[in-house]
Amino acid sequence: KQWYQRRVRGGDCVSTSLCKSDKILFTGTEEGSVKVYDTEVMRPTSSWQAHDAQVMQLVQSRSGLLSQGREGAISLWKDGRRLKTTKVESTGFCSFDIADNDRHCYVGLDERAKICCLDIDTFETIRTILPSDSNKRGLCWSLKAKENLLYLGFESGDLVVFDTRLHTRQLLDLKLHNEIITAMDVRGDQVITASPDNTIKVTSIVGVPRTSEEIPAPSDTSCPVQGQTLHTIPMKCQGTSRVAVREDNRLLAASGWDGGLRLFSRKKCNLLALVPAHDPEAICDMTLDNNHVICSGRDKKISFWTFY
């Protein structure tokens, strides 16, 4: 059921980030501002102009709040004060992600299929990553960094997986969708991807090296890593903006381009609920936390949902 809904002043709300410990919700708008909400009273507490264009992504790190603007800027904030900023050639649709060690930030670049890795402490570029057959893949539209692995979803519908330890090594290349991979999440050895081809897919990745000693040398062309699609979920809406798996790996949430919020069981991928969270083509971002889902959209609304 819907727990709360709030209309956002000053532009469409296109990104969200929930701080569990401080019960704070950060939101980013189409006009480039960041707004802070107290989730206990559902009231805004502060706001500031963060970017000259749409706020594409908000992620909390040990150093502060990281924001990404469509003008290509990535900034680090603490209590509304900009600590540092850098400019990268990234004005597309791919939001960045930070690695589990909270030290590295991966960003999809405008140059075809290329990814850069930034040091969060210094904002210096550590390395760039380029998959094989990069000219055939188009731009990177979604990425996730989990447990020394970097998952990349491309315009061509390909999923490419890299091992980021010691040397960056491409482990896997799978054709999953017929169109762009617009959304992705990872839990354990499974990756969930969504596309405008009307499907969400759950794919198992097996054979990943668990220690640095097991990583094949760059000259070794053989690789034991394999991927297998376990479930294909048909979607009645044409596109999906976000997918998220709950931490206990029992629930999958998907926000559709039709404004609908869908909840699936993770084990059998059965549809459990469908609610009209926002206006059609409005929903932009979604945060899944325990028994709550927070959605934001271009209809200038933030909706809070609880399920049981």
Side-chain angles (χ1 to χ4, degrees):
K1 67 177 183 179
Q2 189 168 17
W3 171 34
Y4 188 83
Q5 185 180 79
R6 182 169 185 85
R7 182 168 289 276
V8 180
R9 293 183 179 180
D12 303 338
C13 185
V14 293
S15 55
T16 58
S17 179
L18 181 66
C19 181
K20 301 177 185 178
S21 58
D22 296 331
K23 298 180 180 178
I24 292 174
L25 176 69
F26 296 95
T27 66
T29 70
E30 188 85 30
E31 284 71 23
S33 64
V34 172
K35 300 179 184 295
V36 185
Y37 290 84
D38 185 328
T39 58
E40 289 192 320
V41 296
M42 301 302 171
R43 292 291 184 271
T45 59
S46 63
S47 65
W48 65 88
Q49 189 66 30
H51 293 276
D52 296 330
Q54 171 187 325
V55 180
M56 295 175 57
Q57 178 75 311
L58 293 169
V59 174
Q60 293 167 86
S61 71
R62 56 182 171 82
S63 302
L65 179 71
L66 285 165
S67 67
Q68 178 186 11
R70 180 146 286 172
E71 80 278 21
I74 296 177
S75 299
L76 178 66
W77 306 88
K78 192 74 171 179
D79 299 325
R81 181 171 57 91
R82 194 195 308 265
L83 301 181
K84 61 184 72 173
T85 188
T86 188
K87 196 78 176 286
V88 294
E89 296 299 323
S90 178
T91 58
F93 296 92
C94 184
S95 301
F96 71 78
D97 196 22
I98 60 175
D100 292 334
N101 60 15
D102 231 15
R103 293 175 51 198
H104 299 152
C105 173
Y106 293 92
V107 186
L109 302 180
D110 292 340
E111 185 176 346
R112 189 173 295 269
K114 184 174 285 189
I115 311 297
C116 80
C117 176
L118 299 176
D119 186 303
I120 294 178
D121 292 329
T122 64
F123 270 22
E124 294 180 355
T125 299
I126 300 174
R127 57 179 174 264
T128 57
I129 300 169
L130 191 66
S132 60
D133 299 325
S134 58
N135 291 331
K136 300 178 181 179
R137 303 188 190 277
L139 297 178
C140 179
W141 273 63
S142 57
L143 62 83
K144 280 289 179 182
K146 290 284 186 181
E147 297 180 359
N148 301 311
L149 296 180
L150 180 62
Y151 302 82
L152 306 175
F154 289 98
E155 196 172 353
S156 59
D158 298 335
L159 172 71
V160 177
V161 183
F162 280 87
D163 194 313
T164 58
R165 293 170 292 184
L166 298 182
H167 46 261
T168 303
R169 170 71 193 274
Q170 183 172 317
L171 298 179
L172 185 65
D173 182 358
L174 284 177
K175 177 70 173 180
L176 289 183
H177 295 275
N178 296 323
E179 297 188 44
I180 300 162
I181 297 180
T182 56
M184 184 190 309
D185 199 10
V186 178
R187 279 294 179 270
D189 62 354
Q190 295 183 4
V191 56
I192 298 88
T193 55
S195 170
D197 64 3
N198 297 345
T199 61
I200 293 176
K201 292 191 176 183
V202 180
T203 304
S204 175
I205 310 297
V206 297
V208 176
R210 296 303 175 186
T211 64
S212 300
E213 290 74 18
E214 296 176 3
I215 302 175
S219 58
D220 186 357
T221 57
S222 64
C223 188
V225 180
Q226 296 181 346
Q228 178 183 4
T229 298
L230 303 178
H231 298 281
T232 298
I233 306 173
M235 297 288 285
K236 292 186 177 180
C237 63
Q238 186 173 1
T240 302
S241 58
R242 288 288 187 273
V243 291
V245 179
R246 198 167 64 181
E247 290 184 358
D248 62 3
N249 205 23
R250 298 180 63 183
L251 190 74
L252 167 64
S255 56
W257 289 358
D258 60 352
L261 170 65
R262 292 165 173 81
L263 301 177
F264 301 89
S265 67
R266 269 290 291 113
K267 186 175 183 180
K268 296 184 178 181
C269 294
N270 296 326
L271 180 64
L272 303 177
L274 167 59
V275 293
H278 287 264
D279 296 343
E281 300 182 5
I283 195 164
C284 292
D285 201 8
M286 175 189 64
T287 299
L288 176 62
D289 174 49
N290 295 326
N291 290 335
H292 302 290
V293 179
I294 302 172
C295 297
S296 62
R298 287 193 168 88
D299 53 3
K300 296 181 171 61
K301 296 176 184 176
I302 305 173
S303 59
F304 299 77
W305 299 84
T306 184
F307 46 89
Y308 45 87

